Amino acid sequence: MIRRWVINAIVFVVACLAPLAAARAAGEPFVRVEVETPQPVAVGQQVKINISVFVPNYFLSAPQFPLFDLPGAIVTLPDQGSLNLNDTIGGESFAGIQRTYVITPQQAGALTLPPAHISFTYAATPGQRTDGSVTLPPQAISVRIPPGAEGALLASDLRMTQSLDRDPAGLKTGDTLTRTIVIAASGIQAMMIPPPIFAPVDGVTLYPQQPVLQDESRDRAGLVGATRTDKMVYRFDRSGDYLLPALTVDWFDPVTGKRARASAPEVSAKVAMTAAFKTEIAPDIPVPAEPAPGLTASGWIRLVATAIGVLGITALAAFLFPRCRLAVMAWRDRQRETEAAYFARLREACHGNDRKVVYRALDAWARRAHALSASDWVRQNGSDELRRSFGGLERELFGSTPETQPWQAKPLLSALIASRRTWLRHKNPQARALSALPALNP
């Protein structure tokens, strides 16, 4: 009984493999997929997949490896060249070309390669050109969140460094201090590195600068790491001793299974009163022993009164000017940090039609509008047209398949203006009450 079961199993396996063996024996092209990274992989971990295309005899053109979409993951095809292979199957020689994809899962679960087509030409018969193509098999990749990695960035290494543009112990009121934070991570893309959280400080105005993201790639290795550089400018409005809080980023190494924290230490600043803020005593006015020739007593009185008036006005101006200047600067700062100011900068970015600049300006405005991100604001308040335009922008920046038409910022801006108008009307109770009133002349 057991022997018959074994024989039936062998017959079934042979019947399943026979068509593939016959195809290869007949000299048909085929594809091999090898997941180089052991499974299951962790969320955020780079997965290397080797895809090899084989043809009988030799290639007449290189295979066109596509950059396909994979929901729940970022797919890249590093520009590191291809690898030439040779194989012999059933006594027949096959030539192969291999490329390596790098896939970074963004969520836990199962990922399956899509049926992407790879086209090429080859010599089925020596000297004759034959068009060919192969389809990727549904290779599965198991993705999980490692225990202890909840809420942490997954990377094989992460470091945080800090630098200041001046000595924080020698500041005066109105001075600025630029704090530069560089986060370097291995095994992930720069867009995956979270921004550091600069906490507000009483008596200090914060001016965040645009971050700089940079990926690092090497031949044959593909993406090896990335850096994120953030700059924060602190302006000290009052004298005193200040403590700029430390910055931290939690990360998890999926290889060692250990959780770690990178940090930049707190900064102590000492701010002295600016000389312009000191109240000075007007000097004594010299009184001549006797009137100068040609001046009467009433003339001297007018001269002394004029001098006192001029000195008083000068002292008052010296006292009020720095305060008025700080008040004007503070008012300008508040205006620059309003939601309307951020939206004006977003308009300017859209006129430039630069996708990356538009995305950064849109994200900065959305955060100023008290949303978690640009996608969060669009999801909660955007119209269908805005969602389509924003989705097109994200596909242009992060998708693996380029859009068929050149991207234009004008449709996105038009949809944003309409959605923002609706959002402001619902946000303002007075405007909402006025809009609910019936028409005066129905």
Side-chain angles (χ1 to χ4, degrees):
M1 185 67 179
I2 296 178
R3 181 180 299 176
R4 180 178 300 175
W5 180 86
V6 173
I7 294 174
N8 291 337
I10 294 174
V11 171
F12 175 77
V13 172
V14 172
C16 291
L17 297 179
L20 179 60
R24 296 187 181 180
E28 293 294 331
F30 64 94
V31 60
R32 285 177 182 166
V33 177
E34 174 194 4
V35 180
E36 186 175 321
T37 308
Q39 298 192 56
V41 300
V43 174
Q45 180 182 358
Q46 285 190 348
V47 182
K48 291 186 176 181
I49 298 182
N50 301 324
I51 297 181
S52 307
V53 177
F54 288 88
V55 298
N57 297 321
Y58 50 87
F59 285 96
L60 293 177
S61 69
Q64 301 300 311
F65 290 87
L67 193 58
F68 51 82
D69 287 324
L70 185 58
I74 298 174
V75 181
T76 58
L77 183 59
D79 187 15
Q80 58 187 25
S82 57
L83 181 64
N84 295 326
L85 305 172
N86 291 287
D87 199 355
T88 301
I89 300 175
E92 185 174 2
S93 297
F94 284 79
I97 294 180
Q98 176 180 291
R99 291 291 302 272
T100 300
Y101 287 79
V102 177
I103 297 178
T104 307
Q106 304 298 294
Q107 61 188 30
L111 299 177
T112 303
L113 295 186
H117 296 282
I118 304 174
S119 58
F120 49 85
T121 58
Y122 69 105
T125 301
Q128 294 184 8
R129 181 186 181 91
T130 303
D131 294 330
S133 68
V134 293
T135 303
L136 292 183
Q139 176 69 49
I141 303 172
S142 177
V143 185
R144 65 181 179 89
I145 298 179
E150 295 79 4
L153 174 67
L154 276 79
S156 56
D157 186 32
L158 190 141
R159 298 175 304 279
M160 179 186 292
T161 58
Q162 172 178 265
S163 61
L164 306 173
D165 68 333
R166 60 192 305 177
D167 183 6
L171 300 173
K172 296 182 179 180
T173 52
D175 285 349
T176 60
L177 176 69
T178 301
R179 188 182 190 185
T180 302
I181 302 296
V182 179
I183 302 177
S186 300
I188 62 173
Q189 295 176 309
M191 62 183 297
M192 303 298 299
I193 302 176
I197 305 301
F198 294 90
V201 181
D202 186 35
V204 182
T205 305
L206 276 62
Y207 298 96
Q209 309 298 300
Q210 288 289 351
V212 177
L213 308 181
Q214 185 174 3
D215 293 327
E216 180 183 354
S217 300
R218 295 177 185 171
D219 293 342
R220 298 296 178 185
L223 182 70
V224 296
T227 57
R228 178 191 176 100
T229 303
D230 289 87
K231 289 187 177 182
M232 179 63 71
V233 178
Y234 298 85
R235 195 194 69 195
F236 298 88
D237 302 325
R238 298 195 301 265
S239 61
D241 295 330
Y242 293 89
L243 190 64
L244 308 183
L247 304 173
T248 60
V249 173
D250 292 331
W251 63 284
F252 184 87
D253 188 343
V255 177
T256 62
K258 294 182 178 179
R259 189 183 182 101
R261 169 174 290 181
S263 62
E266 60 187 14
V267 177
S268 299
K270 188 175 185 62
V271 183
M273 176 71 74
T274 306
F277 283 84
K278 296 180 180 179
T279 303
E280 298 183 358
I281 301 175
D284 295 333
I285 302 173
V287 179
E290 58 183 10
L295 289 178
T296 63
S298 60
W300 275 109
I301 292 174
R302 287 194 298 270
L303 179 62
V304 172
T306 301
I308 292 175
V310 171
L311 290 175
I313 293 174
T314 302
L316 181 63
F319 179 78
L320 293 179
F321 176 75
R323 289 163 173 77
C324 294
R325 178 174 174 270
L326 284 177
V328 171
M329 291 177 62
W331 178 82
R332 289 179 177 175
D333 293 340
R334 289 193 297 271
Q335 294 302 312
R336 283 195 294 264
E337 293 300 311
T338 61
E339 178 273 336
Y342 273 77
F343 195 78
R345 290 193 283 271
L346 174 56
R347 280 176 178 264
E348 294 179 3
C350 289
H351 292 321
N353 209 53
D354 187 312
R355 295 168 297 178
K356 293 183 179 179
V357 175
V358 170
Y359 188 85
R360 288 196 294 265
L362 176 57
D363 190 68
W365 168 77
R367 294 177 188 274
R368 176 54 57 185
H370 306 293
L372 297 177
S373 63
S375 60
D376 180 60
W377 194 96
V378 170
R379 184 178 65 254
Q380 293 185 16
N381 307 289
S383 61
D384 293 340
E385 178 62 26
L386 178 57
R387 293 190 181 97
R388 285 193 295 270
S389 299
F390 181 72
L393 175 59
E394 285 193 317
R395 288 192 296 272
E396 281 284 336
L397 290 173
F398 311 120
S400 57
T401 302
E403 296 290 324
T404 56
Q405 298 294 334
W407 183 81
Q408 295 293 331
K410 186 176 180 180
L412 175 67
L413 178 59
S414 299
L416 268 172
I417 293 174
S419 296
R420 176 177 177 263
R421 186 181 300 114
T422 303
W423 173 70
L424 288 174
R425 186 165 57 249
H426 287 81
K427 179 184 176 184
N428 188 340
Q430 182 179 2
R432 184 168 62 249
L434 291 175
S435 64
L437 292 175
L440 295 177
N441 297 309

